[in-house]
Every structure is written in C-alpha cells, then in structure tokens.
Amino acid sequence: MENVPSPRVVITGVGVVTPLGNDPNKLITDLRGRASGVAALTQVPRGVLSIDFGAEASDFSGDISDYGPMDKKLQRTIRKGSKVMCREIEMGVAVAQLALTDAGLTPEDRDRDRTGVLYGCDYIMSLPEEFAVGIGKCTDDEGNFDFTKWGDQGKPEINPLWLLKYLPNMPASHIAIYNDLRGPNNSITVREASAGAAIAEAYSTISRGHADVLIVGSTGSRIHPLRSLHADMQETLAANRSDPTKMSRPFDAQRDGSVLGEGAGAMVCETLEHAQARGATILGEIVGYGSSAVGPAFGKTFLQTAIRNVLRAALGDEPAENIGHIHAHGLGTVECDAQESAAIEAVFGSADKQPPVTTAKGNLGNLGAGGGMVETIASLKALGGELFPILNCDSLSDDCPINACVDGSTAAGSQFINVNVTPQGQASAVRIRSFS
C-alpha cells in the first residue's frame, strides 16, 4: 500500500471575544501595551463573594452586530436561535462567524460535506432565574419548599427548551446548522484544556482525510452567579485590590490566586491544498500537540507531570532552540505557577536556555474553556513581531525558574507552544509556526 503523506494543516481565519474587546488585532495591541480587562463585576452581585472584580467581555452584548457581517437571512436565523443560547454559547457562535468572515470562507469556497466544527466547552450552569417562578409556586409563606408540588405546579413553569440553552455540545451544533456544515462535528469538555484538545483533534481529523476544513473554537465563562460561587468555594482566587488591574499576577512573588474571566475564540483550520486552491491568506500552521491527564493520586507534583508530558509531546523532534516563545497557562496561583515553571525547566532546561515565557492571564484572567483559544490566537498574532510581556510580573518568584518575558522588546519568534491545564490535572498543548 502506498504511503501518502498527511496533509499540512493551516490556519486561515480567527475570531475572538475577550475582556479586551472582540478584535484580534486590537487584542495583540492591548496585550503589548499592558492593558487589563479586569474591572468591577457587573454580572455577579458585588459584596457577596470574596471578590468583587473580574474580567468580563463587556464589549459583547449578544446583539447580532457582534457576530460580524452576514447576509440578512443568516442574521435572522441567528437572532431567532439566540432565544435558546446562553451567553457562553452566544460567544462561541459569534467567534465562529467572525473567523469565517476573517478567513473569507464563503459557501462557494467549501464542500459542505467536508467542512465541520470542533469545539471546546465546559459544563454550563443554568441561571437561577430559569427556575424562579416554578420554585416560587412550590414555596410557602415561610420560605419552605414543598417537593410534592413540583410536578404539578413548579415544573410547568419551566421553559421546555431551557436545557438547549446550556448543553456544552450546542456551540458546535448551532454553528454547523447555521452554516450548513455537514462534516465532522465534535465537542470536547475538559475545562481549561478544552481549546488545545480541540485543536489537536481538528489537526488529527484533517490529517486522517476526514475533512478539508474545520471551524475550531472554544468558549467559556467563569462569571456567573453559580459558577463564580463554585470557584470562590473550591479554588484560590486573587484577593481584591484597590487597583483591580493588579490582581492577576502570573509567576510574580506576590501572586495570590486567579481572576475570573470570560471569553471565546475560534479559528478556521484547513488543508494547505484547500487553502491555496481558494487563495486564502495563511496565518500559521499547526505542527504539534500533546494531551495528558495526571490526577492528584499521582502525588503533589501531578500538575507538573501533566504539563511536562504535553510540552514534550508538542515539541516532538523539533529542536528546543527553534521555539520562539511559550504561552504558559500562568494561572496566578502559588501552586500551579510553581509546578508549571518546574515542568518548563524539565523540558527546556534552566531559564537562560528556555524560550521566552509569557501568558495573557495577567491581562485577561482565567477565561475557562475559552482561554486556551484566545491565548493561542494572541500568540499567533504576535509571531514575527514583539512578544507581549507578562502583566504584573514585577518580581519573578523564586519558585518560578522561567525565562519570563517582562518587557516589550522581546521577539515572539516564528513558532510557539501554548499550554493549559485544569485543576484536576488534564493538560493540553499545541505548537504552531509561521507559514513558509
């Protein structure tokens, strides 16, 4: 049997929704300019949780104008469909439409049976308001809930389509339906590692010859009445500061936790042959990836081991000196940053031998499942120019032996590795280079 080389997989369009706006070019400019998206929360009541600040995607309203230019028919369809989309799903659909526009991928340019969608997401929590009326009908004057009333009086008050607003496979479903994309369709839900895992699966799917084009994205929000409460109870969040833009401090000696954020990103991935045939502008090429899961049962250094595994896998046979920069997870917690730094040192050597290391979380906070895609797009936009520095890393911590990028004169290089990890030890990494 003849050995046929796998097709090269390239990126031809991107779209973002972030706490620094919804334009990829503005995003990289703001990151280089040390702008912060952390401000007072508006979607979560202040004075209730331990924190009153977060990184909201305040420029995203859900209005149809946020989805970019489209014909009137598609606008009407999406506007109607938004009735069964929560904010996370709306953001996910919007960045896909923005990426399609950026790629110039029109219906005439694609085979709908070989164009699909692959999306990363997280579990999405319902808003309490969905159940308020029904619960009220089952509650007496003293505030006691009577479960025996729920079936007859409470449940009928719930919108029968409410679940469609919160299912994590719905971003990929909506995008495929709106654009008549009949190729492979998949959803990956591994929290912060979702974006890297989605890119890796997209690369594999296209390399196997199962698709010519895939819309690849991820969306997430940690700013939500219940989700924020869960994070406050279960995770280490950065303490309030008089200047909230100083709260997220990746790898800094005074870091004390992560900052809640929200956002989404998407890219159009296609075979090189397909992209060249339609005259597309090629932004970069996917050339490596890694995935690993190392749980707490492994021991105290489980995060370090998971990150080390995916860095090695994404690097592959590529000489370490060819990596222009590493876009670290950079969560901002004492433990995670220390273990990530140790993993980088294990793979690349001491700080003087490492590529420059940066992260956008100082500017954007933790966007959950959406973070890895936004970070990947930021690094992609930086290639060939200056790398954005780590915001608020004023004094690199002794337990973070990395080549931290803290100034604006560092070159981003021609390729990078982006890495993300969940608190449970699920990690993903991707390696992307400039196209040549």
Side-chain angles (χ1 to χ4, degrees):
M1 184 176 178
E2 185 181 356
N3 239 351
V4 180
S6 297
R8 296 169 67 180
V9 181
V10 298
I11 302 163
T12 56
V14 295
V16 296
V17 167
T18 83
L20 291 176
N22 308 333
D23 181 341
N25 294 321
K26 179 181 181 298
L27 172 64
I28 187 62
T29 298
D30 284 351
L31 291 176
R32 286 170 172 158
R34 301 176 185 267
S36 173
V38 183
L41 291 168
T42 64
Q43 299 177 49
V44 176
R46 296 194 293 274
V48 177
L49 305 178
S50 70
I51 46 94
D52 292 320
F53 303 97
E56 298 181 346
S58 55
D59 284 354
F60 183 81
S61 66
D63 185 83
I64 195 64
S65 61
D66 292 335
Y67 293 72
M70 295 178 288
D71 62 58
K72 296 296 184 182
K73 181 180 179 181
L74 184 54
Q75 283 185 344
R76 287 193 298 269
T77 302
I78 293 179
R79 190 183 288 114
K80 182 180 179 180
S82 67
K83 296 176 182 178
V84 288
M85 286 193 270
C86 67
R87 182 170 175 83
E88 283 169 78
I89 295 176
E90 285 183 316
M91 291 192 299
V93 174
V95 294
Q97 298 304 141
L98 291 168
L100 282 167
T101 299
D102 188 50
L105 187 65
T106 65
E108 294 73 33
D109 288 330
R110 61 192 187 236
D111 178 348
R112 63 188 180 184
D113 294 319
R114 292 188 55 80
T115 305
V117 187
L118 218 159
Y119 246 65
C121 198
D122 203 343
Y123 72 89
I124 305 175
M125 301 191 75
S126 300
L127 287 169
E129 295 92 313
E130 297 280 358
F131 311 102
V133 175
I135 290 173
K137 292 215 170 179
C138 303
T139 305
D140 62 27
D141 292 339
E142 297 179 357
N144 299 309
F145 183 81
D146 185 350
F147 284 95
T148 64
K149 296 181 179 180
W150 179 252
D152 293 330
Q153 299 182 41
K155 192 176 179 181
E157 297 296 333
I158 308 301
N159 185 332
L161 300 180
W162 72 268
L163 188 58
L164 293 180
K165 297 172 66 174
Y166 303 103
L167 290 172
N169 67 311
M170 291 310 294
S173 299
H174 284 298
I175 294 160
I177 292 168
Y178 295 151
N179 297 283
D180 194 19
L181 308 180
R182 303 180 183 181
N185 192 291
N186 202 356
S187 301
I188 293 177
T189 55
V190 280
R191 283 191 57 155
E192 291 89 343
S194 297
I199 294 171
E201 180 61 23
Y203 176 90
S204 299
T205 301
I206 293 174
S207 295
R208 292 193 299 266
H210 291 177
D212 297 324
V213 184
L214 287 174
I215 316 305
V216 189
S218 66
T219 181
S221 179
R222 299 177 61 72
I223 299 176
H224 177 286
L226 294 178
R227 192 62 183 274
S228 298
L229 175 62
H230 283 194
D232 199 21
M233 295 173 64
Q234 300 170 359
E235 302 173 23
T236 304
L237 301 184
N240 287 329
R241 290 178 180 246
S242 57
D243 181 358
T245 66
K246 303 294 185 183
M247 287 172 59
S248 187
R249 311 185 67 82
F251 305 110
D252 185 69
Q254 296 185 28
R255 70 191 187 278
D256 62 351
S258 64
V259 171
L260 303 179
E262 63 174 358
M267 56 177 63
V268 174
C269 299
E270 53 189 304
T271 65
L272 174 61
E273 181 182 18
H274 189 277
Q276 290 178 329
R278 68 183 188 86
T281 299
I282 298 174
L283 306 178
E285 180 179 4
I286 303 169
V287 288
Y289 64 85
S291 178
S292 180
V294 183
F298 174 85
K300 292 183 179 180
T301 59
F302 70 99
L303 295 176
Q304 175 183 332
T305 303
I307 296 171
R308 183 194 66 202
N309 289 348
V310 297
L311 286 174
R312 285 178 174 167
L315 181 62
D317 296 330
E318 185 77 2
E321 58 268 23
N322 288 353
I323 304 302
H325 72 272
I326 298 169
H327 195 138
H329 186 60
L331 186 61
T333 65
V334 172
E335 190 63 30
C336 188
D337 285 5
Q339 292 202 40
E340 181 172 23
S341 298
I344 293 171
E345 184 180 40
V347 176
F348 291 93
S350 57
D352 61 316
K353 298 177 182 177
Q354 297 170 14
V357 179
T358 193
T359 178
K361 284 191 177 68
N363 312 76
L364 305 174
N366 180 10
L367 310 185
M373 192 63 69
V374 170
E375 292 161 8
T376 296
I377 291 170
S379 280
L380 178 64
K381 284 289 183 178
L383 291 182
E386 292 179 347
L387 184 59
F388 44 91
I390 304 173
L391 185 63
N392 298 323
C393 187
D394 300 330
S395 178
L396 183 65
S397 180
D398 291 339
D399 61 358
C400 296
I402 59 170
N403 181 18
C405 176
V406 293
D407 62 66
S409 60
T410 302
S414 60
Q415 65 174 308
F416 68 91
I417 294 177
N418 173 249
V419 61
N420 289 105
V421 65
T422 74
Q424 292 75 32
Q426 300 153 296
S428 66
V430 293
R431 178 164 60 92
I432 294 174
R433 68 184 179 195
S434 301
F435 175 73
S436 60

